[in-house]
Amino acid sequence: MSHVGPAYGSLAANQAKIAAKRDPNLDRGVQEWVEAIIGEKFPSGPYEDALKDGVILCKLMNKLQPGAIPKFATSGGSFKLRENISLFQNAARAYGLSDAELFQTIDLFEKHNIPQVTQCIFALGRTAQKKKFNGPTLGPKMSDANVRDFTEEQLRAGQSTLGLLNEGMTKGTQSKSENISSISKHQSQVEKPQIREKNGNRSTYTEAIRASSELSDSSIVCDDRQRSHSRQRRSQQRTLSSSSVENLLTNLHNIQLPPLVSSSSLSSLHSHMNEQQEEHEISLQLLVDLARDTNSTRINKLNRLYSFLEDSIGMVELRSLLNFIKSSSSEININEPPLNLYSSILPIIIALILLENDI
């Protein structure tokens, strides 16, 4: 029996499909428009690398709508620069872009879907035209409304024309009715000799109906069996998914930090601690910003928290941690695995749970 590969394909295949949709001319058009708006040239290098840190995007939003992003990072670690992208997304949403027109943080920062980034900036250009932005335009010029004003004489002339049309349609309907009536009389005369023949074939037709009914009953039985097999397969898949989550939680419990055995290990640990400290500071800053933000809705704040955590540890790992915290029957110690491994972002996770519970 030949082996059949997974239907979802590989990550490389998906990335190849996305790359095939990319149009260098669209990228070039976006770059020229952004450079004209902000008054700066892109740094030398690929188009996506110039946009990656979000600095140019934040400058663009502030040009389109002054004060849209009062403060953003121009240097620092990856977490600070990722926050620039989140600031741009929130400002673009407030400017009028829909969620379908925006891109995810990983689409740009990890170059997962650069065509979507380009389409987002094109949508921003269209919205700027609608808002009558006084500056360069991106894409085709939006059409203006063509309002027509008619005089009273023109309106009366139009009404008289409609009256003539209605009169002609009424006469046409009457002639059609007469034709249909004559045709019906003719058909009734032709069909009378055929009634006897139809009565003779009625028994044959009844037998065919009975055979068709038996076939339908057998088809229903087959469909029921197929549905039963399908339910069994879905049940097995759910059992497999549950066991996978339990195995991941078990592995998280067993993770331990490597022992310090040399000066190189000590240097590596210091670097790791510095990264955790930076991530902890960014987490607290995000919580402070959300606490002071009185304009965003609860859903928008949840999306910002989810985006930050997804960029930090990934959605699968995040879901496992949330399940562990919510479903654990025993007391949880934040100084023990697995929570001690996520101490820098633990405040964000707790804030996410509180917001989901609407506390």
Side-chain angles (χ1 to χ4, degrees):
M1 180 180 296
S2 62
H3 175 70
V4 180
Y8 50 80
S10 63
L11 176 61
N14 292 334
Q15 291 293 82
K17 291 180 181 179
I18 293 175
K21 298 179 181 179
R22 189 169 178 181
D23 187 346
N25 294 325
L26 295 180
D27 295 348
R28 191 180 306 110
V30 165
Q31 178 174 341
E32 293 174 354
W33 180 68
V34 174
E35 289 176 343
I37 294 292
I38 66 175
E40 300 178 13
K41 290 291 184 182
F42 276 34
S44 59
Y47 158 83
E48 58 269 26
D49 289 345
L51 298 175
K52 178 179 178 180
D53 59 9
V55 174
I56 290 179
L57 295 177
C58 290
K59 291 180 178 180
L60 173 63
M61 277 307 312
N62 282 336
K63 288 291 184 179
L64 296 177
Q65 186 173 356
I69 307 176
K71 183 179 179 182
F72 57 90
T74 56
S75 62
S78 60
F79 292 104
K80 287 185 178 179
L81 299 179
R82 281 179 178 175
E83 182 67 15
N84 285 346
I85 300 177
S86 297
L87 293 174
F88 167 78
Q89 291 167 337
N90 292 331
R93 187 182 291 109
Y95 193 62
L97 267 66
S98 64
D99 289 339
E101 294 172 320
L102 295 172
F103 59 88
Q104 299 296 321
T105 303
I106 59 175
D107 291 342
L108 175 58
F109 202 83
E110 299 182 14
K111 304 178 184 179
H112 282 193
N113 195 346
I114 298 301
Q116 180 61 31
V117 178
T118 300
Q119 292 300 325
C120 174
I121 300 177
F122 264 96
L124 193 62
R126 291 193 299 270
T127 305
Q129 287 192 51
K130 292 179 181 178
K131 291 180 175 289
K132 307 298 182 183
F133 173 70
N134 186 20
T137 59
L138 178 62
K141 179 175 175 55
M142 305 294 290
S143 60
D144 297 326
N146 186 11
V147 181
R148 301 181 181 182
D149 296 325
F150 295 98
T151 63
E152 291 293 334
E153 295 179 356
Q154 290 173 327
L155 293 175
R156 283 195 295 269
Q159 290 175 355
S160 62
T161 303
L162 288 175
L164 293 175
L165 288 174
N166 290 332
E167 183 179 354
M169 292 174 64
T170 303
K171 291 181 178 179
T173 303
Q174 291 175 353
S175 61
K176 286 182 180 179
S177 299
E178 294 174 356
N179 291 335
I180 292 173
S181 177
S182 61
I183 291 172
S184 299
K185 291 179 180 178
H186 176 71
Q187 287 180 344
S188 62
Q189 293 175 359
V190 173
E191 290 175 354
K192 284 181 180 179
Q194 297 177 353
I195 294 177
R196 297 186 182 89
E197 183 180 354
K198 290 183 179 180
N199 290 333
N201 295 331
R202 184 170 299 171
S203 59
T204 305
Y205 175 75
T206 304
E207 294 177 358
I209 290 296
R210 185 181 300 111
S212 175
S213 177
E214 294 175 355
L215 180 60
S216 299
D217 293 340
S218 62
S219 300
I220 293 173
V221 172
C222 291
D223 289 342
D224 289 340
R225 291 176 180 174
Q226 291 177 355
R227 292 192 188 98
S228 177
H229 290 314
S230 178
R231 285 193 295 269
Q232 290 176 359
R233 286 196 298 271
R234 288 196 296 269
S235 176
Q236 291 172 355
Q237 291 173 355
R238 286 194 295 269
T239 304
L240 178 61
S241 300
S242 300
S243 62
S244 300
V245 172
E246 292 176 359
N247 291 335
L248 180 58
L249 290 175
T250 303
N251 293 333
L252 288 173
H253 274 294
N254 297 330
I255 293 177
Q256 294 182 354
L257 289 174
L260 301 176
V261 294
S262 63
S263 59
S264 61
S265 299
L266 182 61
S267 175
S268 177
L269 179 60
H270 281 308
S271 176
H272 176 71
M273 292 176 63
N274 290 336
E275 291 180 359
Q276 280 198 329
Q277 178 64 26
E278 181 183 4
E279 190 174 8
H280 180 67
E281 292 175 357
I282 295 172
S283 300
L284 294 180
Q285 183 62 50
L286 175 59
L287 291 178
V288 171
D289 293 341
L290 290 178
R292 297 179 60 190
D293 187 358
T294 58
N295 296 324
S296 297
T297 63
R298 173 174 164 270
I299 299 299
N300 289 338
K301 293 181 179 180
L302 277 172
N303 289 336
R304 288 186 63 182
L305 293 177
Y306 267 116
S307 177
F308 176 85
L309 293 172
E310 183 179 359
D311 291 341
S312 300
I313 60 176
M315 185 55 69
V316 175
E317 199 168 345
L318 172 61
R319 288 295 183 188
S320 300
L321 277 174
L322 292 175
N323 289 336
F324 171 75
I325 295 174
K326 293 179 180 179
S327 61
S328 180
S329 57
S330 59
E331 184 178 353
I332 299 177
N333 190 342
I334 62 173
N335 296 318
E336 295 179 356
L339 294 186
N340 65 332
L341 302 177
Y342 303 94
S343 58
S344 59
I345 60 173
L346 190 58
I348 297 290
I349 296 176
I350 300 305
L352 178 65
I353 296 175
L354 292 177
L355 267 179
E356 283 185 336
N357 295 333
D358 199 15
I359 295 179

